[in-house]
């Protein structure tokens, strides 16, 4: 039976690199895969970008109101697909994650979803919460905090300072390559460093 996998980690834990490696492994064996990501992730437009410099075009983007299973069916109609790989899965809606589950169970295609669990306020993203609830397999991709401990949180940095208010999603680089005046970046933090930067605030 095919399964739905959720491979998650804090920012900079190698999620996109792992996804691209998985795609390579399938294709090295002569198997076909499809790559997708939520359309809200405008950074890199229709590409998956790894911090190691690897990039690859996605086969389709998933809009906020799209049926992910229908999109998959439309793009796999003329091919024998061995696996569907999803980047930035935290940005999916709960119904779209349910679509991924149905692709695995009813269509018999393994689905590997990669993403982060929590936003910069330690709240679960809707897609991640649903994946944690129904995925057959959960795998944590680990990275380290600046202090050397295991990082589990994602701190938002604007203008060089940590911030703890704002919208859940803030992506500065648009499809046209423009960047907001005060660049928003993220830093992976352990629990102790997160509490230190937030003044003890969680959420």
């Amino acid at each position: 039976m095919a399964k739905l996998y959720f491979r998650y980690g804090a920012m900079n834990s190698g999620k996109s690199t792992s996804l691209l490696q998985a795609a390579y492994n399938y294709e090295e064996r002569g198997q076909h895969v499809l790559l997708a990501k939520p359309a809200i992730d405008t950074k890199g437009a229709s590409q998956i970008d790894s911090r190691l410099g690897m990039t690859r075009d996605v086969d389709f983007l998933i809009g906020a109101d799209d049926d992910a299973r229908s999109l998959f069916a439309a793009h796999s109609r003329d091919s024998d697909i061995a696996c569907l790989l999803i980047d930035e899965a935290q940005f999916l809606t709960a119904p779209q994650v349910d679509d991924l589950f149905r692709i695995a169970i009813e269509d018999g295609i393994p689905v590997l979803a990669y993403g982060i669990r929590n936003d910069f306020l330690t709240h679960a993203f809707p897609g991640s919460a649903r994946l944690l609830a129904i995925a057959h397999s959960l795998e944590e991709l680990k990275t380290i905090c600046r202090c050397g401990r295991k990082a589990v949180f994602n701190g938002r940095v604007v203008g060089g300072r940590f911030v703890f208010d704002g919208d859940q999603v803030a992506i500065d680089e648009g499809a046209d390559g423009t960047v907001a005046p005060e660049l928003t970046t993220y830093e992976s933090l352990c629990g102790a460093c997160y509490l230190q930067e937030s003044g003890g605030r969680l959420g």
Side-chain angles (χ1 to χ4, degrees), residues 135-171:
H136 297 92
S137 175
L138 302 173
E139 178 184 347
E140 184 178 17
L141 303 177
K142 299 177 178 63
T143 190
I144 58 171
C145 176
R146 60 192 177 194
C147 70
R149 298 186 186 98
K150 175 183 161 185
V152 293
F153 296 119
N154 306 293
R156 179 180 288 176
V157 181
V158 179
R161 304 183 66 173
F162 284 96
V163 297
F164 295 92
D165 54 55
D167 294 335
Q168 186 175 55
V169 179
I171 300 172

Side-chain angles (χ1 to χ4, degrees), residues 73-142:
H75 286 83
S76 63
R77 187 171 295 123
D78 300 323
S79 303
D80 183 16
I81 302 300
C83 182
L84 171 63
L85 298 111
I86 307 287
D87 198 29
E88 304 292 355
Q90 70 272 7
F91 296 138
L92 296 174
T93 65
Q96 288 169 342
V97 173
D98 292 349
D99 291 338
L100 301 185
F101 186 84
R102 292 187 176 94
I103 291 169
I105 298 300
E106 297 179 2
D107 300 329
I109 305 298
V111 180
L112 281 62
Y114 295 77
I116 59 179
R117 289 185 306 170
N118 302 327
D119 65 17
F120 73 111
L121 295 176
T122 71
H123 300 150
F125 284 96
S128 300
R130 190 62 180 151
L131 281 161
L132 289 167
I134 68 171
H136 297 92
S137 175
L138 302 173
E139 178 184 347
E140 184 178 17
L141 303 177
K142 299 177 178 63

Side-chain angles (χ1 to χ4, degrees), residues 23-44:
Y24 177 84
N25 290 344
Y26 273 98
E27 291 172 338
E28 188 180 35
R29 291 158 178 78
Q31 298 178 309
H32 299 290
V33 299
L34 286 178
L35 279 65
K37 72 174 186 176
I40 192 174
D41 179 32
T42 55
K43 193 170 185 179

